[in-house]
Amino acid sequence: MASLLVPALYLAVLVVALLVFGRIYRKRVAASRKLEPWFPSHPERDIYVSLLQCDPPAHDGLIKAALVRRAVADVHRIFKLREDKVALSNLLQRGSIGDDLWTSFLAAEKELEAEILEVVTESETFKQGWGNLIFQTAAEIVQNEKLREGMNKVFQSRPQLEAKHGVTKRIIPSITMNTTPPVQAQPAATPTATISSKTLQQSLPIPASPSTSDSPTSTSGQGPASPV
């Protein structure tokens, strides 16, 4: 039992010593080497600042457009940092990268936060409430740019794909138009009322016939009596 304990302790001490030496060595290398910025430059910010310092001053529309392009560049950097953070954290846990690279990444995150706050503050000087909408507009512009790039790649690779698969004729779907005029419905015949002669006679007023008692007649029935 004692013979197994001594080699185990020796290996444990050796592993701990190697870990401590590796950490100290990485810290010394990081301290001796100058950290490079994660993003080397920001040309959109420089253009916006130069427009503000123009003499005579630039048009407000041009300055606003430069500010929107600056926000679009910041959105690109946000997406880039999100993608890099997952990979860097995994590599750092495995010990594949040094602490200097992680420190540079954290510095880039803080710099981007300050940049976003500055863009929001600048947008509020032009219009009240624009700071809440400028990055939404910038995100929509980024999505449209990605969609346009994808469509351009498809159109550019189309000739190579057609040559690869032996497509020599493009099939263009044709749309046939129905030129037959629509059949117009015949108007329905209006029913005519037929009135019989008997009904007409019944509806007309019948004149009253003269009474026989009013006309002087003879008692014998041979004609009117002569006056006395």
Side-chain angles (χ1 to χ4, degrees), residues 111-128:
E111 182 181 355
L112 185 59
E113 290 177 0
E115 168 68 15
I116 292 173
L117 183 60
E118 185 178 353
V119 171
V120 172
T121 305
E122 290 290 334
S123 60
E124 289 291 336
T125 59
F126 291 101
K127 185 178 180 181
Q128 188 70 25

mmCIF file of all heavy atoms in Angstrom, residues 111-128:
data_model
loop_
_atom_site.group_PDB
_atom_site.id
_atom_site.type_symbol
_atom_site.label_atom_id
_atom_site.label_comp_id
_atom_site.label_asym_id
_atom_site.label_seq_id
_atom_site.Cartn_x
_atom_site.Cartn_y
_atom_site.Cartn_z
ATOM 1 N N GLU A 111 -15.510 48.669 -24.983
ATOM 2 C CA GLU A 111 -15.414 49.745 -25.974
ATOM 3 C C GLU A 111 -16.678 49.830 -26.825
ATOM 4 O O GLU A 111 -17.151 50.926 -27.149
ATOM 5 C CB GLU A 111 -14.198 49.506 -26.863
ATOM 6 C CG GLU A 111 -13.969 50.599 -27.899
ATOM 7 C CD GLU A 111 -12.765 50.314 -28.775
ATOM 8 O OE1 GLU A 111 -12.067 49.310 -28.511
ATOM 9 O OE2 GLU A 111 -12.533 51.086 -29.727
ATOM 10 N N LEU A 112 -17.249 48.683 -27.165
ATOM 11 C CA LEU A 112 -18.474 48.686 -27.961
ATOM 12 C C LEU A 112 -19.658 49.219 -27.160
ATOM 13 O O LEU A 112 -20.525 49.920 -27.706
ATOM 14 C CB LEU A 112 -18.764 47.270 -28.461
ATOM 15 C CG LEU A 112 -19.958 47.123 -29.409
ATOM 16 C CD1 LEU A 112 -19.775 47.985 -30.647
ATOM 17 C CD2 LEU A 112 -20.154 45.665 -29.798
ATOM 18 N N GLU A 113 -19.716 48.914 -25.874
ATOM 19 C CA GLU A 113 -20.782 49.468 -25.037
ATOM 20 C C GLU A 113 -20.705 50.994 -24.981
ATOM 21 O O GLU A 113 -21.732 51.687 -25.073
ATOM 22 C CB GLU A 113 -20.684 48.878 -23.629
ATOM 23 C CG GLU A 113 -21.051 47.402 -23.546
ATOM 24 C CD GLU A 113 -20.873 46.845 -22.150
ATOM 25 O OE1 GLU A 113 -20.453 47.630 -21.261
ATOM 26 O OE2 GLU A 113 -21.129 45.648 -21.936
ATOM 27 N N ALA A 114 -19.499 51.523 -24.846
ATOM 28 C CA ALA A 114 -19.340 52.978 -24.847
ATOM 29 C C ALA A 114 -19.708 53.577 -26.201
ATOM 30 O O ALA A 114 -20.309 54.663 -26.281
ATOM 31 C CB ALA A 114 -17.902 53.334 -24.483
ATOM 32 N N GLU A 115 -19.388 52.864 -27.281
ATOM 33 C CA GLU A 115 -19.725 53.340 -28.624
ATOM 34 C C GLU A 115 -21.240 53.382 -28.828
ATOM 35 O O GLU A 115 -21.788 54.349 -29.391
ATOM 36 C CB GLU A 115 -19.072 52.420 -29.660
ATOM 37 C CG GLU A 115 -19.550 52.596 -31.083
ATOM 38 C CD GLU A 115 -19.153 53.926 -31.691
ATOM 39 O OE1 GLU A 115 -18.270 54.604 -31.122
ATOM 40 O OE2 GLU A 115 -19.737 54.304 -32.714
ATOM 41 N N ILE A 116 -21.948 52.360 -28.369
ATOM 42 C CA ILE A 116 -23.409 52.330 -28.507
ATOM 43 C C ILE A 116 -24.048 53.468 -27.717
ATOM 44 O O ILE A 116 -24.970 54.147 -28.196
ATOM 45 C CB ILE A 116 -23.946 50.963 -28.047
ATOM 46 C CG1 ILE A 116 -23.501 49.866 -29.013
ATOM 47 C CG2 ILE A 116 -25.463 50.984 -27.934
ATOM 48 C CD1 ILE A 116 -23.831 48.471 -28.552
ATOM 49 N N LEU A 117 -23.565 53.700 -26.512
ATOM 50 C CA LEU A 117 -24.100 54.793 -25.700
ATOM 51 C C LEU A 117 -23.847 56.146 -26.361
ATOM 52 O O LEU A 117 -24.714 57.037 -26.344
ATOM 53 C CB LEU A 117 -23.465 54.749 -24.310
ATOM 54 C CG LEU A 117 -23.961 55.790 -23.300
ATOM 55 C CD1 LEU A 117 -25.457 55.636 -23.060
ATOM 56 C CD2 LEU A 117 -23.195 55.668 -21.985
ATOM 57 N N GLU A 118 -22.711 56.301 -26.995
ATOM 58 C CA GLU A 118 -22.408 57.561 -27.678
ATOM 59 C C GLU A 118 -23.306 57.769 -28.891
ATOM 60 O O GLU A 118 -23.772 58.894 -29.151
ATOM 61 C CB GLU A 118 -20.941 57.571 -28.099
ATOM 62 C CG GLU A 118 -20.489 58.884 -28.723
ATOM 63 C CD GLU A 118 -19.009 58.871 -29.075
ATOM 64 O OE1 GLU A 118 -18.319 57.891 -28.712
ATOM 65 O OE2 GLU A 118 -18.556 59.842 -29.710
ATOM 66 N N VAL A 119 -23.579 56.702 -29.640
ATOM 67 C CA VAL A 119 -24.470 56.818 -30.805
ATOM 68 C C VAL A 119 -25.882 57.191 -30.367
ATOM 69 O O VAL A 119 -26.543 58.033 -30.994
ATOM 70 C CB VAL A 119 -24.460 55.502 -31.606
ATOM 71 C CG1 VAL A 119 -25.543 55.513 -32.678
ATOM 72 C CG2 VAL A 119 -23.107 55.285 -32.250
ATOM 73 N N VAL A 120 -26.362 56.580 -29.296
ATOM 74 C CA VAL A 120 -27.700 56.903 -28.797
ATOM 75 C C VAL A 120 -27.768 58.365 -28.353
ATOM 76 O O VAL A 120 -28.744 59.081 -28.629
ATOM 77 C CB VAL A 120 -28.081 55.954 -27.649
ATOM 78 C CG1 VAL A 120 -29.376 56.400 -26.981
ATOM 79 C CG2 VAL A 120 -28.233 54.527 -28.163
ATOM 80 N N THR A 121 -26.727 58.829 -27.685
ATOM 81 C CA THR A 121 -26.700 60.228 -27.232
ATOM 82 C C THR A 121 -26.677 61.190 -28.415
ATOM 83 O O THR A 121 -27.373 62.222 -28.415
ATOM 84 C CB THR A 121 -25.479 60.454 -26.337
ATOM 85 O OG1 THR A 121 -25.493 59.507 -25.261
ATOM 86 C CG2 THR A 121 -25.490 61.855 -25.764
ATOM 87 N N GLU A 122 -25.896 60.869 -29.442
ATOM 88 C CA GLU A 122 -25.834 61.731 -30.624
ATOM 89 C C GLU A 122 -27.164 61.759 -31.368
ATOM 90 O O GLU A 122 -27.580 62.806 -31.881
ATOM 91 C CB GLU A 122 -24.723 61.241 -31.556
ATOM 92 C CG GLU A 122 -23.318 61.461 -31.034
ATOM 93 C CD GLU A 122 -22.919 62.928 -31.029
ATOM 94 O OE1 GLU A 122 -23.472 63.691 -31.848
ATOM 95 O OE2 GLU A 122 -22.064 63.309 -30.218
ATOM 96 N N SER A 123 -27.843 60.627 -31.440
ATOM 97 C CA SER A 123 -29.131 60.591 -32.147
ATOM 98 C C SER A 123 -30.203 61.390 -31.413
ATOM 99 O O SER A 123 -31.097 61.968 -32.044
ATOM 100 C CB SER A 123 -29.584 59.139 -32.327
ATOM 101 O OG SER A 123 -29.748 58.508 -31.068
ATOM 102 N N GLU A 124 -30.124 61.440 -30.092
ATOM 103 C CA GLU A 124 -31.104 62.225 -29.335
ATOM 104 C C GLU A 124 -30.938 63.720 -29.575
ATOM 105 O O GLU A 124 -31.890 64.480 -29.378
ATOM 106 C CB GLU A 124 -30.967 61.917 -27.842
ATOM 107 C CG GLU A 124 -31.448 60.536 -27.436
ATOM 108 C CD GLU A 124 -32.951 60.376 -27.542
ATOM 109 O OE1 GLU A 124 -33.657 61.406 -27.480
ATOM 110 O OE2 GLU A 124 -33.413 59.237 -27.698
ATOM 111 N N THR A 125 -29.757 64.160 -29.983
ATOM 112 C CA THR A 125 -29.562 65.582 -30.267
ATOM 113 C C THR A 125 -30.278 66.018 -31.544
ATOM 114 O O THR A 125 -30.613 67.196 -31.693
ATOM 115 C CB THR A 125 -28.062 65.890 -30.392
ATOM 116 O OG1 THR A 125 -27.496 65.088 -31.440
ATOM 117 C CG2 THR A 125 -27.342 65.596 -29.090
ATOM 118 N N PHE A 126 -30.516 65.087 -32.463
ATOM 119 C CA PHE A 126 -31.218 65.422 -33.700
ATOM 120 C C PHE A 126 -32.730 65.373 -33.527
ATOM 121 O O PHE A 126 -33.446 66.247 -34.009
ATOM 122 C CB PHE A 126 -30.796 64.465 -34.820
ATOM 123 C CG PHE A 126 -29.379 64.646 -35.266
ATOM 124 C CD1 PHE A 126 -28.393 63.786 -34.825
ATOM 125 C CD2 PHE A 126 -29.028 65.677 -36.116
ATOM 126 C CE1 PHE A 126 -27.080 63.944 -35.231
ATOM 127 C CE2 PHE A 126 -27.721 65.849 -36.531
ATOM 128 C CZ PHE A 126 -26.735 64.981 -36.085
ATOM 129 N N LYS A 127 -33.217 64.339 -32.845
ATOM 130 C CA LYS A 127 -34.657 64.179 -32.671
ATOM 131 C C LYS A 127 -34.907 63.417 -31.383
ATOM 132 O O LYS A 127 -34.259 62.399 -31.123
ATOM 133 C CB LYS A 127 -35.272 63.436 -33.861
ATOM 134 C CG LYS A 127 -36.788 63.335 -33.809
ATOM 135 C CD LYS A 127 -37.321 62.636 -35.042
ATOM 136 C CE LYS A 127 -38.837 62.536 -34.999
ATOM 137 N NZ LYS A 127 -39.376 61.838 -36.196
ATOM 138 N N GLN A 128 -35.845 63.905 -30.608
ATOM 139 C CA GLN A 128 -36.159 63.266 -29.334
ATOM 140 C C GLN A 128 -36.801 61.901 -29.571
ATOM 141 O O GLN A 128 -37.773 61.767 -30.315
ATOM 142 C CB GLN A 128 -37.113 64.157 -28.529
ATOM 143 C CG GLN A 128 -37.351 63.685 -27.105
ATOM 144 C CD GLN A 128 -36.122 63.856 -26.225
ATOM 145 O OE1 GLN A 128 -35.278 64.698 -26.509
ATOM 146 N NE2 GLN A 128 -36.029 63.075 -25.174
#
